[in-house]
Amino acid sequence: LCSCIHSPKGFPKLKNDTFLRAARGEETEHTPVWCMRQAGRYLPEFRETRAAQDFFATCRSPKLCCELTLQPLRRFPLDAAIIFSDILVVPQALGMEVVMVPGKGPTFTEPLKEVEDLLKLRQKVDVTAELGYVFQAITLTRHSLEGRVPLIGFSGAPWTLMSYMIEGGGSTTMSKAKSWLYRHPEASHRLLRLLADVVTDYLVGQVAAGAQALQLFESHAGHLGPEQFQDFALPYIRDIAQAVKSKLKEEALPLVPMIIFAKDAHYALRDLAHAGYEVVGLDWTIRPQEARAQIGKDVTLQGNLDPCALYAPKEKIGELVRKMLEGFGTQRYIANLGHGLYPDMNPEHVGAFVEAVHAHSRHINKH
């Protein structure tokens, strides 16, 4: 099995490369679209597949991850698939225990409390041994997609992972994790460096397994101000892009496009535009024209419809999509939501969003 994980050959030929072309800044007939959390609880078939299983047990089953990744593509003409997994598999690979508590979300049984706790973490992680199940899921899914659309792999970024590892779960303030940045800056950098190294190997392993693009989620960027972001998030975001690219070259693997999504980090858009990523993802709290002005013309933008817009009637969704496309322009742009889909959303409204992006972008391109 191992050799096939590292150099899986004979993948089906890609039939729809619109997403990859847009990511690389090439011209597209329509604007490609996919949704963060498109494999999710808003689909009844997802809930059915997941019903009997513990969440992280599902993540460790390549067969179930493949099935969940494919479900939204059976319903909607999306332009990309994203592997079903979770960002917290990385702290698990470092030896931390994370469980999914119903009604509460992911919970660490023993979060990091003191600097000494860093010694409990694995200092050297063999990603194939610890996260090989994700690589197997990617290879299986890439074959099962039969070339319909490209497959995106992903990871959480170091600061976001660190914040979970210290908070022990979700938090509205991130005060425990941020207090480390102020009280223990050296230890914080040690942890962030360890995470960056593991994330780099993990992302390279995903490409070796068949991922055709990569997204780095800095979901908790908004909890940092510009200075802390500059010190504790941006350097690692940059390092990961650089290290992944040089390792892909070394291992003669495809140089896949990389997306950085730093939620609520408007203050850093100019820096993110120069961080080594082909695509910068945006949340819904910035105007398309402003984002384009800050990021410039050499980077593709992705986003940024307010996820709650999908609660609107279908005609209204169409209007909002048209406005968004007019703001971003149809080229060097990948349509998406400004964050993930919510569990109580109507699948038909997701379909209306996807179809509106295709219809309006084709119309704008023609005229």
Side-chain angles (χ1 to χ4, degrees):
L1 181 74
C2 246
S3 62
C4 89
I5 290 174
H6 282 294
S7 57
K9 294 280 177 274
F11 283 132
K13 193 169 153 17
L14 187 58
K15 297 171 191 145
N16 171 4
D17 66 348
T18 315
F19 163 80
L20 294 178
R21 290 212 314 274
R24 292 191 295 254
E26 297 164 17
E27 206 171 313
T28 59
E29 287 97 78
H30 68 264
T31 297
V33 55
W34 66 281
C35 298
M36 290 185 268
R37 294 210 195 111
Q38 64 191 25
R41 286 177 296 173
Y42 73 101
L43 291 176
E45 58 269 38
F46 176 96
R47 292 196 295 272
E48 215 168 288
T49 307
R50 279 265 300 106
Q53 278 276 12
D54 163 69
F55 177 80
F56 285 108
T58 304
C59 289
R60 286 188 287 273
S61 159
K63 224 170 110 197
L64 285 175
C65 289
C66 174
E67 167 58 24
L68 294 169
T69 303
L70 295 176
Q71 283 177 352
L73 294 159
R74 294 188 191 121
R75 276 188 185 246
F76 316 118
L78 294 152
D79 293 289
I82 182 164
I83 193 67
F84 176 82
S85 185
D86 194 86
I87 64 171
L88 299 181
V89 299
V90 170
Q92 288 176 335
L94 288 166
M96 294 187 81
E97 192 187 352
V98 192
V99 292
M100 195 55 85
V101 177
K104 188 182 169 199
T107 306
F108 285 73
T109 49
E110 289 180 41
L112 304 173
K113 289 196 172 76
E114 303 303 329
V115 171
E116 296 75 58
D117 294 342
L118 294 182
L119 299 172
K120 298 179 192 165
L121 300 174
R122 280 192 192 105
Q123 301 304 305
K124 266 271 162 255
V125 175
D126 174 345
V127 292
T128 306
E130 300 299 330
L131 296 165
Y133 59 87
V134 180
F135 303 155
Q136 289 169 31
I138 287 173
T139 302
L140 178 61
T141 306
R142 174 88 187 264
H143 282 295
S144 306
L145 276 166
E146 295 173 335
R148 277 219 311 242
V149 293
L151 179 60
I152 305 168
F154 71 90
S155 174
W159 155 249
T160 294
L161 295 173
M162 169 182 171
S163 64
Y164 272 114
M165 290 159 76
I166 294 171
E167 296 290 340
S171 155
T172 50
T173 59
M174 295 294 156
S175 59
K176 290 185 185 128
K178 285 177 73 177
S179 84
W180 271 54
L181 304 182
Y182 286 108
R183 290 185 306 142
H184 313 303
E186 290 83 6
S188 296
H189 280 298
R190 266 209 319 276
L191 174 54
L192 291 161
R193 167 54 46 212
L194 174 63
L195 285 162
D197 291 346
V198 177
V199 167
T200 297
D201 289 345
Y202 179 42
L203 290 172
V204 171
Q206 292 185 50
V207 176
Q212 290 153 290
L214 297 168
Q215 177 154 313
L216 190 67
F217 283 89
E218 189 70 280
S219 313
H220 295 166
H223 290 280
L224 301 176
E227 280 174 31
Q228 282 192 313
F229 187 84
Q230 205 76 37
D231 287 348
F232 296 102
L234 188 64
Y236 300 99
I237 288 170
R238 276 198 192 117
D239 286 357
I240 287 167
Q242 207 179 339
V244 166
K245 287 178 179 181
S246 74
K247 285 196 173 189
L248 291 175
K249 273 200 189 107
E250 265 165 49
E251 297 181 27
L253 289 164
L255 279 176
V256 303
M258 294 179 72
I259 307 164
I260 175 64
F261 176 62
K263 190 169 179 296
D264 295 322
H266 309 149
Y267 52 78
L269 286 181
R270 281 197 170 83
D271 289 324
L272 290 169
H274 299 109
Y277 294 76
E278 286 69 28
V279 183
V280 172
L282 302 163
D283 59 65
W284 67 92
T285 59
I286 187 158
R287 290 192 175 87
Q289 295 86 337
E290 269 172 48
R292 188 65 84 184
Q294 288 191 49
I295 286 172
K297 296 201 165 40
D298 300 331
V299 176
T300 295
L301 298 181
Q302 173 178 282
N304 75 338
L305 191 73
D306 179 356
C308 291
L310 297 191
Y311 295 122
K314 289 186 199 169
E315 308 70 62
K316 179 70 176 161
I317 294 172
E319 279 167 43
L320 293 167
V321 164
R322 195 192 69 233
K323 215 170 134 191
M324 180 171 83
L325 286 161
E326 284 164 359
F328 281 110
T330 58
Q331 301 299 322
R332 259 214 182 278
Y333 173 55
I334 296 161
N336 204 319
L337 304 173
H339 202 217
L341 286 160
Y342 302 144
D344 64 348
M345 285 179 163
N346 180 341
E348 285 184 19
H349 288 223
V350 177
F353 167 63
V354 173
E355 277 154 30
V357 170
H358 287 161
H360 287 299
S361 61
R362 281 200 175 97
H363 182 78
I364 293 169
N365 286 344
K366 274 206 186 93
H367 300 277

